[in-house]
Every structure is written in structure tokens, then in C-alpha cells.
Amino acid sequence: MSPLTITARDAVTGPVLEITGDLDHTTAPELRQAVNRLTLTGGQLLVLDLAGLEFCDSSGITALLAARNLAVEQSGAMALAAVPSNTARILRIAGLDRVFTFHPDTSTATKSSSTGR
């Protein structure tokens, strides 16, 4: 089991959270807390960089959905970047590829012309 690390930074499009380690029942509340500390202004894009994500269970997926919901509530949007193939597969099977916008990497997601759902 890998500990969860969340690193926040700002991009031209809005906040980026780099998530590394395991996103599971034990650590999902950490992501929720990190997202709750953010304030998005209208039109900003919250990007969750999952390049370092090693494992994601249903609690982690629920935390990703909660992050998206918060972004939308704040008149922003959210996108996932560098989603590991095993996590992307699960999201597709659950139909969440229609809910989340996927980008191959953070630099693509944070181009000023990028938009999220």
C-alpha cells in the first residue's frame, strides 16, 4: 500500500492537484479535504493529475466524482490527466468516461483552450 500524496499548484486554467499513491477507502477523505480547500472562480478548470496514481477503489472513484461536483457547483469544470490504464478501464466500464474529461497529460489539460465537462 502506497501512501497518498496530493500536491497542489496553479496553472493558467486553474488549480492542478497531482495525486500519487493509493486512492482508497482510507485515503479518499484526504482528496475530498484537498478539493474542499480550493476555490474556483467561474470558468476555471480543476485538473487532477493521476500520473502517479497506483491504485483506485470505489471510494477513490467517489472522491473523484465529489471533486467534479464541487468544481461544477463553483461554476468551474474538472478534467482528469494522465489516467492510468487500469483506472481508465474501470471508469469506462462504469460509464464515467461520459462524466469526466480525460487528457493524456497535465500540459494538454491546462492549455488555455482546454475545457472540461
Side-chain angles (χ1 to χ4, degrees):
M1 180 171 201
S2 298
L4 184 71
T5 303
I6 301 170
T7 306
R9 66 179 176 84
D10 289 320
V12 68
T13 54
V16 175
L17 296 181
E18 297 173 3
I19 301 167
T20 59
D22 293 346
L23 184 57
D24 57 21
H25 177 71
T26 304
T27 61
E30 295 175 45
L31 176 58
R32 286 177 182 252
Q33 291 170 1
V35 170
N36 286 337
R37 285 191 295 267
L38 299 174
T39 301
L40 274 71
T41 58
Q44 279 193 316
L45 178 66
L46 168 62
V47 175
L48 300 185
D49 180 347
L50 304 182
L53 187 69
E54 295 178 22
F55 175 78
C56 184
D57 70 4
S58 60
S59 297
I61 291 170
T62 301
L64 296 176
L65 285 165
R68 181 194 174 278
N69 291 343
L70 185 67
V72 171
E73 286 173 11
Q74 294 184 9
S75 300
M78 191 188 93
L80 302 177
V83 181
S85 59
N86 58 340
T87 302
R89 180 175 181 265
I90 292 167
L91 293 173
R92 276 192 298 277
I93 289 169
L96 295 174
D97 56 335
R98 293 180 298 242
V99 174
F100 292 115
T101 300
F102 293 77
H103 291 280
D105 52 51
T106 300
S107 63
T108 303
T110 57
K111 286 184 182 174
S112 59
S113 62
S114 292
T115 59
R117 286 187 194 137

